Amino acid sequence: MKVGILAQRGNSRAAYLADELRGRLRESGVEVRVDTETAATLDVSGTPAEEFDATDLVVSIGGDGTFLYAARGAGRTPILGVNLGEVGFLNAVGPENAVDAVMDEVAAFGEDGDIVAREVPRIAASGDGWTEDPAMNEVTVTGARRGHGGGVGVEVRVDGSLYTGGHADGVLVATPTGSTAYNLSEDGPLVHPSVNGLVVNEMVPDSGMPPLVVAPDVEVTITLTDAERAVVVSDGRTRREVEPPTEVTVAAADEPVRLAGPTSDFFEALGKLD
């Protein structure tokens, strides 16, 4: 069995726990790969997180941002999230239970040759000749500059039917997982993880419709006008500039994220929000 460990950057507590996990797994005959930055801290050989899709389990130690980073390289490999005291919508395991939780997954893999995992959707933006990396939380399509004098003209269609249009800072499309992230700060609705759907949320429109929850398999098409440049961002990390007039389509990605281990308590995590 191969296990990849990715720890939150610059967090000595996360690095310490990664080292503890690494030692316990190696004692059990498990091949361990540690992300490059954490490996440098521990003075061991490292593996780029982008190559963790070649493992059987990925352990993310930190917060939801660390989990999102791990998911980018994990592919279909299940991810177990260890929460170091942050909100923890994606990280259900506390540090005090981390070693036992990981070893339980190792034992299950030894018995069945697989890990039982829950699938959560990802979405991807595409345009004329390009497709962005899948996003677990949200895709935003905005003007190059937000606020007064910025923004972009938008027309939003859901499976071809016009929903809204006008001038806005931009449009955000979020998964249920992402409803508690950027979407929430843009006055979008909370969506329970048990609900299959996508949130379509105009960002500071001059006038428009309220946020909308649609089926998970729809295509959201955003036509951009009235700006020299616009920006498409996936999970706050990957960024692509486009030139209006143009269309950006957001739809379900082919590959979901697979979650291993226990399920976090959605309502308990909500209580940690500022």
Side-chain angles (χ1 to χ4, degrees), residues 30-78:
V30 175
E31 181 180 332
V32 183
R33 301 178 183 181
V34 180
D35 74 274
T36 306
E37 186 162 330
T38 303
T41 301
L42 301 179
D43 196 22
V44 299
S45 60
T47 300
E50 292 78 11
E51 298 178 12
F52 277 9
D53 57 348
T55 64
D56 301 300
L57 174 68
V58 173
V59 181
S60 169
I61 305 172
D64 286 349
T66 305
F67 192 102
L68 292 176
Y69 182 62
R72 291 179 62 195
R76 288 195 59 82
T77 299

Side-chain angles (χ1 to χ4, degrees), residues 85-177:
E86 300 185 17
V87 174
F89 286 102
L90 298 172
N91 305 282
V93 177
E96 68 281 3
N97 299 317
V99 173
D100 288 343
V102 172
M103 298 311 298
D104 285 346
E105 299 301 326
V106 170
F109 185 89
E111 292 178 2
D112 302 326
D114 196 10
I115 290 175
V116 176
R118 308 174 302 283
E119 292 189 347
V120 297
R122 286 195 280 197
I123 54 179
S126 60
D128 186 11
W130 58 268
T131 300
E132 267 302 328
D133 292 335
M136 189 173 178
N137 272 358
E138 78 283 313
V139 169
T140 59
V141 183
T142 67
R145 181 168 59 87
R146 297 193 60 179
H148 181 71
V152 64
V154 299
E155 181 183 88
V156 182
R157 293 181 178 271
V158 177
D159 277 348
S161 296
L162 180 63
Y163 174 60
T164 187
H167 192 275
D169 280 3
V171 177
L172 179 150
V173 182
T175 66
T177 301

